[in-house]
Amino acid sequence: MKTIFFPDQTLNDGIYAATIGFFDGVHLGHQFLMARLRKEAAERGMRSMAITFESHPRQVVQGGWTPELLTGLHEKLRLLKATGIDCVVVLRFNRQMAAFSARDFMQLMYERLGVRLLLTGYDNRFGHDRTEGFDDYQRYGEEMGLQVVCGDPLVVEGANASSSRIRHLLKEGCVEEARRCLGRPYTLDGQVVHGQQIGRRIGFPTANMEPEEPYKIIPKNGVYAVTAQVGDSPAMRGIMNIGMRPTFHGEERTLETNIFDEMGDLYGNPLRVQFIAHLRDEQQFASGEALAEQIKRDKAEAEKRLTAYEREALC
């Protein structure tokens, strides 16, 4: 897959069928759209192109606005590559682009990126006047020789797969349903940092994570069955606790993973955690010993849920 950063780089290598969007999460709905894009391109002898944004446009339009992301840019590009499209154009969105109308954007795609077919998402709007919609895009396209077609939504468990739906699910701790909308487990990447050694003192040492991407959503506080990958090692089973450690009167939110296999000193290593199942909400216990007994039960339940997930993945 070719990746270019516009306007620093431009294309002059043929004609394209394209779609445009932020594509946060590259979830099953986005993957469905990319499959349609590849089909439309192949039928016309074109290449396929996804046009996305380096950062969220609202960060430019609304100064001080903080995004809540499912994927950072590098993760998003990796996932878009996996869809099999030919090219991704990353827009370095700025205030000049923020003033573009939908027609301006379409003219740019036509003249500078070689786009001759535009596949829009079923609910996609672009350009500074967000009241414009598909009928307007079709009219502009007819004027400039750019065909515009509309994609369909993908329904997962009775509702459209969407980035906003997945964000809501993660905030509620519903990582299983989020996984089914994403088509994969939700993932956090980070680095193992020093903690207060509380887990080690009660017999369950943990790897404390500092997330790599500052804008990625952290699921709701609680205990989760996860897979954990340290550096290039194979993924291993574990449980992650997200929260304030109320039993020990914690004052800061922490992300602590107990990996079931012995790993030794992990400080400074990259850590990737995939959320498989929500086990329970965070709660306060009368003592460290009572917490340790609950963690034993959490690990047993996590083993069951992880085994079920692995069997499901094989089907």
Side-chain angles (χ1 to χ4, degrees):
M1 183 189 76
K2 178 186 297 184
T3 303
I4 72 163
F5 287 77
F6 187 89
D8 300 0
Q9 301 164 288
T10 56
L11 280 174
N12 57 3
D13 61 350
I15 60 174
Y16 284 88
T19 188
I20 183 170
F22 192 63
F23 304 126
D24 188 25
V26 194
H27 52 66
L28 287 179
H30 295 142
Q31 295 169 40
F32 182 65
L33 183 69
M34 297 303 161
R36 167 81 182 275
L37 179 67
R38 295 198 316 271
K39 179 176 181 292
E40 297 282 355
E43 289 174 350
R44 294 165 175 79
M46 300 178 182
R47 297 174 182 174
S48 54
M49 171 193 293
I51 303 171
T52 190
F53 300 84
E54 184 174 37
S55 56
H56 200 290
R58 284 181 65 182
Q59 289 178 272
V60 174
V61 176
Q62 301 175 12
W65 180 78
T66 302
E68 295 180 308
L69 300 180
L70 303 173
T71 46
L73 178 62
H74 295 299
E75 183 181 7
K76 178 164 67 174
L77 292 178
R78 175 175 59 80
L79 292 168
L80 285 172
K81 179 179 180 179
T83 69
I85 59 173
D86 297 310
C87 177
V88 174
V89 174
V90 182
L91 295 179
R92 288 192 157 139
F93 196 76
N94 53 34
R95 291 206 169 273
Q96 181 182 0
M97 285 189 187
F100 280 10
S101 66
R103 197 187 196 290
D104 293 333
F105 260 117
M106 293 174 65
Q107 196 73 44
L108 180 150
M109 288 185 254
Y110 183 89
E111 293 180 353
R112 301 187 61 184
L113 298 174
V115 175
R116 295 297 180 269
L117 180 138
L118 177 63
L119 173 64
T120 68
Y122 72 96
D123 62 348
N124 190 29
R125 298 286 186 274
F126 57 92
H128 77 270
D129 185 357
R130 303 303 289 272
T131 62
E132 295 174 305
F134 179 73
D135 290 343
D136 300 295
Y137 306 154
Q138 274 198 318
R139 185 173 71 256
Y140 303 148
E142 289 171 0
E143 293 169 2
M144 66 182 73
L146 192 162
Q147 184 181 0
V148 181
V149 294
C150 185
D152 299 313
L154 178 70
V155 176
V156 176
E157 298 184 353
N160 292 343
S162 69
S163 301
S164 58
R165 177 184 174 191
I166 296 167
R167 292 187 198 103
H168 173 75
L169 290 170
L170 292 173
K171 290 178 183 179
E172 293 298 315
C174 303
V175 297
E176 298 100 320
E177 191 174 346
R179 167 164 55 87
R180 291 191 285 272
C181 290
L182 284 165
R184 65 184 185 278
Y186 184 65
T187 302
L188 284 180
D189 287 288
Q191 187 176 54
V192 180
V193 297
H194 287 276
Q196 296 185 7
Q197 306 276 322
I198 291 173
R200 187 173 301 277
R201 292 204 300 269
I202 64 172
F204 297 96
T206 59
N208 291 266
M209 172 190 276
E210 181 69 34
E212 177 181 278
E213 170 57 62
Y215 298 129
K216 277 200 76 168
I217 289 178
I218 307 296
K220 176 186 176 183
N221 288 2
V223 180
Y224 297 87
V226 301
T227 64
Q229 182 177 11
V230 181
D232 295 327
S233 70
M236 292 160 288
R237 295 180 170 196
I239 54 174
M240 173 177 265
N241 182 81
I242 300 175
M244 304 297 292
R245 296 172 299 166
T247 302
F248 300 99
H249 310 291
E251 297 180 353
E252 294 182 356
R253 193 187 202 196
T254 60
L255 289 74
E256 302 175 272
T257 303
N258 173 249
I259 300 172
F260 297 166
D261 294 335
E262 178 60 45
M263 291 295 295
D265 185 0
L266 303 180
Y267 295 123
N269 282 286
L271 176 64
R272 171 170 291 174
V273 172
Q274 293 188 316
F275 291 85
I276 306 303
H278 177 264
L279 300 179
R280 63 176 173 86
D281 290 341
E282 183 179 42
Q283 62 190 100
Q284 185 171 4
F285 293 88
S287 65
E289 291 77 11
L291 172 58
E293 288 300 315
Q294 178 60 51
I295 293 174
K296 291 178 184 177
R297 293 190 287 272
D298 293 337
K299 291 183 70 171
E301 179 62 22
E303 292 279 17
K304 295 178 185 176
R305 306 289 282 277
L306 289 162
T307 297
Y309 166 69
E310 290 167 1
R311 288 173 178 164
E312 177 186 324
L314 289 173
C315 294

